[in-house]
Amino acid sequence: MRTSIASVCLSGGLVEKLHACAEAGFDGIEIMDADLIAAYESPEEIRALCHRLGLTIDLFQPFRDFEAVDEATFADNMRRARAKFEVMQRLGADMMLLCSNVATATTPDFDIAATQIGALADLAAEYGIDIAYEALAWGRYVSDYRDAWDIVQRADRANLGVCLDSFHILSRGHDPAGIAEIDPDKLFFLQLADAPRMDLDVLSWSRHHRLFPGEGDFDLIDFLSHVILAGYRGPLSLEVFNDTFRQTDVTRTAAHALRSLHWLYDRTAAQNDWTDLQLDAPQPPCAIDFVEVSGEDLSAVERTLSQLGFTFGGRHRTKAVRLWEAGDARVILNEQVRTPGSRLVGLGFEVGDAAAAARRAHAIGAPQVFRRTYAGDYELPAVASPDGTEVYWNSRTAAESWLDEFEGRVPLGEDTAETALHGVIDHLNVAYPWQEFDEAVLFNTSVLALDAEPASDVPGPRGLVRSQVMRTADGAVRLAMNLAPPTAPELPRHVAIRVDDAVSAARRARARGLAFLPMPSNYYDDLDARFGLEPDFLAELRELNLLYDRDEQGSFIHFYTPTIGDIFWEVVERRGTYDGYGAASAPVRLAAQRGGPLL
Ligand SMILES: O=C(O)c1ccc(O)c(O)c1
Ligand SMILES: [Mg+2]
């Protein structure tokens, strides 16, 4: 599989973009005319640079508003075309993308369009150039790839074919099954982009909101299957118009872009049982094994954990690292760093095959993390997520476990076993700055093998907070992602522990002196209005600062600790088959965290 990327996906000048693409490992590039026009380097210099970097120029694009026009416009369009063919010849580019006319077309007659495009192809042939005709979703008379193919057939030139772009096809809901009808020799080029489902005019949607594969809602695995089964053998090229990616670090975006293609190709090959599969199978995690918090002095975190009912799980035999446990919820406190505060820096997953998970992650391009280990320590393979959080995998068994590295654990006595907190890590909640969010979604899909739930917007005191949960199908692992508002890029992270009885857990925590995040009294009046709760139950919720939600599947009781450093803790109880996160209470919680009387 050859990989390519349109220069429009990246930020900066053309030379910078070419360097970033080569460094990331792309095979080729689509050069956007606008990027060339704005460059001080001549076409010959760009050609030489691409050659030196080992990049092929797979496409020169776009050429616009050409076909189905009146005679005078046609003559001028041919003059324009000749000028661009001359530039392409100097560049050494041998395929031009022709977009369907969105502005100047005056006739819906496909024969006229075909005659004019045929003349363009004949002119291109003089320069040894191929024309790939693409139906833009908002084209005036041609907005469906099947119509573009119709016109290409009518024109019938050897150097004329179609360019398929997943955005234009899937945004309009056109069935990709029709790709099988196209002569494979006429499948000249393929552009791939994902996008979130949106209720927006298709032009704005395309120009601002395209995403890399795996980050949006399109079924690109199905789409790519159709294209490859139809016989396409050209490069897989990314064409993602997105305001964020055009403002972020070009090297990082290029690397991230290539990961999205590797992921897409791997999943498509796996779905079709193609035997040239090179990557290990994804390893969806079975559970969150631990979270790791670091800081030079974590005594305040330790106090909160102990008030919550966590018990001391031992001291690492060689490092300044301690373990706290609440049943199967494990927190590692790492004081080996010299940074103040406390940060959630790592998490561990239990998986079927940790080595396979790590091999796959590295093949997709996730950066490996090396941790200093000592003789007898377990080697947990790990990668760094885009925000720097370290993710560890382990196929822990009763016989062999990193837990054995901890000494001095306090066994639970008869009395403490009764009152200690006992649970599992239900979910983590992490906020991302706007420029890192989509990259994090792709990481969670491609490297961690999690699936995205539909995104939603939660009203917070500083505006809507985009919220997206990524999880395993069985819900055993859930990562809740928030898009931090630009004014608060460092929103605290939180860890939610699931227990069987959150009310008792809250009572015991309060008896141990835990300060809860206080909820406004109005919140409880509203709960009563919404749910008509038993007076005693409502009083208990109010007394303990508990939050509550209910839907057809069940109910949800939970509470929060105040924030320490940039982390806080949540205790949750899911009743029935409740599967949410108490979204209706989130605005109140966010407001309480910002202005609550104890903070
Ligand atoms: O938005 C556009 O104009 C545009 C241009 C070229 C493309 O390949 C495309 O998909 C869209
Ligand atoms: Mg396109």
Side-chain angles (χ1 to χ4, degrees), residues 6 8 30 32 59 61-64 97-99 102 134-138 163 165 167-168 191 203 206-207 210 239 241:
V8 72
E30 298 178 28
M32 308 297 290
L59 193 74
Q61 73 132 322
F63 193 65
R64 297 184 189 277
L97 176 79
L98 172 67
C99 297
V102 303
E134 175 190 43
L136 296 189
W138 55 94
C163 168
D165 179 323
F167 181 87
H168 298 298
Q191 295 176 316
L203 171 67
S206 174
R207 291 266 173 90
R210 290 190 185 203
E239 189 194 33
F241 301 83

Side-chain angles (χ1 to χ4, degrees), residues 192 237 257 295 395 432 522:
L192 294 163
S237 190
S395 1
Y432 297 86
N522 298 342

